Amino acid sequence: MSQRSISYSTWTSPHQHQLNAPEHKTGPNFLSALTFPNVLTRCWLARNESGNDDDDDERQTLLSPSATVPSTVTERYGSCIEILHYGTHSCVRLYARKSSAGHPKQLHVIKVLRRSSNAFVRATHRFEQSLSSAVSHPNLLQTLDVLQNDRGETCLVMDYCAGGDLNTLIATSGPLLDASAANCFFKQIMRAVAYLHENAIAHRALKTENILLSARGAVKVADFGDAEWLRDDVTHGIRAESRLRLQLSSLYSPPRKMVGSMPYLAPEELNDCAPVDPRAGDVWAAGLVYMAMRCGRLLWRTPCADDDGGYRAYLWGRQTYDGYPPIEGLEETHCRNVIYAMLHPDPTRRIRASEVLRSEWVYDVRVCDAGEMGQ
């Protein structure tokens, strides 16, 4: 399996994934004592009607340990050794800090949010900073530190995931990813998605490139740049109502726009209809991520029957006795049923993330120790 290998013990022992080299240790989690709603309350304040952003710097330093421990990015995390991604409003870099003799370098990933005069971009950056710092789940990539570089740009510091991203693993794992490994990864993904959804957050950018892996095979769902907080949510249970809607009612959420990678986009995003709960789009994308793991490819380029023959074939297959061949090729009946339910074209009839976890198929999937602990 190229440079990555996945090995399993006997059925009675917890399985393990070995992906690339052992993961490097990171620095302390400066935010471990802060809870999800408390951090958002402190850092994601409502903008006033005039749109005045004079207090941006004050908001951004609330989370940053640099407010009490003066330090530069270089002093704390070393030097940049690689640019992992270069986008319009941000870039992602790998930093390495020298360690003592006999110990490996300490690696961190730093997402640099560029300064912008655009109010929407600034609001999106503040939201991403607050949310990525506040999440607390073993399968979500959390921001460990926030500070500014010498250009005055906000830097979000995260763990380095030595296993790479799921897209690369699929591309280098031979004909197909092992079904047991795919199921393990999928359950971890759905746990992360369900956690966000229960807290009235839609990720809105789920794809294989945004699903990272530790060296031992723990899933880390990353990139909250397109996430949306549903402040008025009353549809997903008491937990979301009590923890966020009542406590965080004064917070500001960037306006919604169509986001996401086109092959993972839900069909309702392309329709001129009444707004729907964007969490349904996350479930759709997660279903396509699972199929990418099992098929080694994307099922279609765009979820539009008029423009894409692959998607048209899927809609036809759903209505026939023989079904849609890629899904019918999955071994377990319960697995096929869940994937069909996740990829229901009607978002109001699509299964929810919490229901996926409770399904007979996913409930019985064994997750490796690394995935359970997020290590």
Side-chain angles (χ1 to χ4, degrees):
M1 189 182 293
S2 186
Q3 295 179 347
R4 295 179 173 84
S5 62
I6 299 177
S7 60
Y8 292 87
S9 57
T10 62
W11 187 89
T12 57
S13 301
H15 66 264
Q16 293 183 345
H17 312 275
Q18 294 296 329
L19 306 176
N20 218 328
E23 191 170 18
H24 297 275
K25 298 294 184 181
T26 61
N29 186 336
F30 297 100
L31 302 172
S32 59
L34 301 180
T35 64
F36 190 30
N38 287 341
V39 171
L40 285 177
T41 300
R42 291 175 59 194
C43 302
W44 186 20
L45 303 177
R47 296 172 62 214
N48 57 37
E49 294 181 357
S50 63
N52 189 351
D53 292 310
D54 292 339
D55 58 344
D56 280 359
D57 292 339
E58 180 180 355
R59 294 177 186 170
Q60 292 177 349
T61 57
L62 285 174
L63 277 175
S64 175
S66 62
T68 56
V69 184
S71 175
T72 65
V73 174
T74 302
E75 289 172 344
R76 188 173 297 179
Y77 299 105
S79 59
C80 175
I81 61 174
E82 185 178 354
I83 297 178
L84 303 177
H85 175 74
Y86 196 90
T88 304
H89 301 295
S90 66
C91 66
V92 181
R93 301 170 181 171
L94 179 61
Y95 276 71
R97 181 174 60 183
K98 293 182 180 180
S99 187
S100 57
H103 296 279
K105 291 182 178 180
Q106 293 184 331
L107 301 177
H108 291 85
V109 171
I110 297 182
K111 184 172 185 177
V112 181
L113 306 179
R114 297 196 186 91
R115 297 174 67 91
S116 176
S117 60
N118 185 298
F120 174 80
V121 173
R122 294 197 302 272
T124 301
H125 284 174
R126 286 197 300 273
F127 173 67
E128 180 177 5
Q129 172 188 330
S130 300
L131 178 59
S132 65
S133 301
V135 294
S136 179
H137 190 277
N139 300 125
L140 289 172
L141 187 64
Q142 183 183 28
T143 290
L144 306 176
D145 191 8
V146 181
L147 65 164
Q148 290 189 337
N149 61 17
D150 53 5
R151 297 182 180 179
E153 299 168 321
T154 299
C155 298
L156 309 182
V157 182
M158 293 158 279
D159 280 327
Y160 170 65
C161 294
D165 62 76
L166 186 57
N167 192 66
T168 301
L169 179 62
I170 294 172
T172 59
S173 60
L176 292 174
L177 191 64
D178 181 86
S180 297
N183 290 348
C184 176
F185 294 152
F186 179 70
K187 188 168 184 176
Q188 294 179 63
I189 294 168
M190 293 312 301
R191 285 176 171 176
V193 172
Y195 167 84
L196 292 175
H197 289 187
E198 289 166 3
N199 284 287
I201 298 291
H203 187 279
R204 305 197 69 211
L206 279 177
K207 55 183 178 179
T208 53
E209 293 89 339
N210 285 341
I211 298 170
L212 308 181
L213 300 168
S214 74
R216 297 176 58 203
V219 163
K220 296 288 184 178
V221 175
D223 195 351
F224 298 100
D226 291 323
E228 180 180 356
W229 177 46
L230 309 174
R231 295 197 303 170
D232 299 324
D233 171 60
V234 293
T235 63
H236 274 59
I238 297 176
R239 183 180 179 186
E241 174 83 359
S242 60
R243 290 191 59 190
L244 290 178
R245 184 168 179 265
L246 298 180
Q247 296 183 44
L248 311 180
S249 58
S250 64
L251 303 186
Y252 171 73
S253 176
R256 186 182 180 207
K257 57 186 178 69
M258 189 180 77
V259 295
S261 178
M262 186 61 71
Y264 297 92
L265 207 62
E268 61 267 18
E269 292 283 358
L270 301 180
N271 298 332
D272 295 326
C273 58
V276 297
D277 192 328
R279 285 171 291 195
D282 285 349
V283 173
W284 175 277
L288 290 175
V289 167
Y290 182 76
M291 291 305 299
M293 287 192 287
R294 296 300 307 274
C295 298
R297 63 179 177 84
L298 296 171
L299 298 182
W300 46 74
R301 298 185 307 275
T302 177
C304 178
D306 294 336
D307 299 333
D308 195 297
Y311 183 64
R312 186 164 57 249
Y314 168 68
L315 295 181
W316 172 254
R318 284 186 62 95
Q319 303 175 43
T320 64
Y321 177 80
D322 293 332
Y324 180 59
I327 297 180
E328 292 298 322
L330 303 176
E331 293 85 357
E332 297 184 37
T333 300
H334 295 304
C335 172
R336 296 196 296 269
N337 291 341
V338 170
I339 297 302
Y340 275 125
M342 295 179 72
L343 297 179
H344 199 296
D346 184 350
T348 64
R349 300 178 62 185
R350 201 171 297 152
I351 192 174
R352 293 178 179 175
S354 58
E355 295 170 334
V356 172
L357 289 175
R358 293 196 301 267
S359 68
E360 187 172 349
W361 164 50
V362 177
Y363 185 84
D364 290 333
V365 168
R366 297 189 301 112
V367 173
C368 59
D369 289 342
E372 292 285 0
M373 297 181 290
Q375 297 179 346

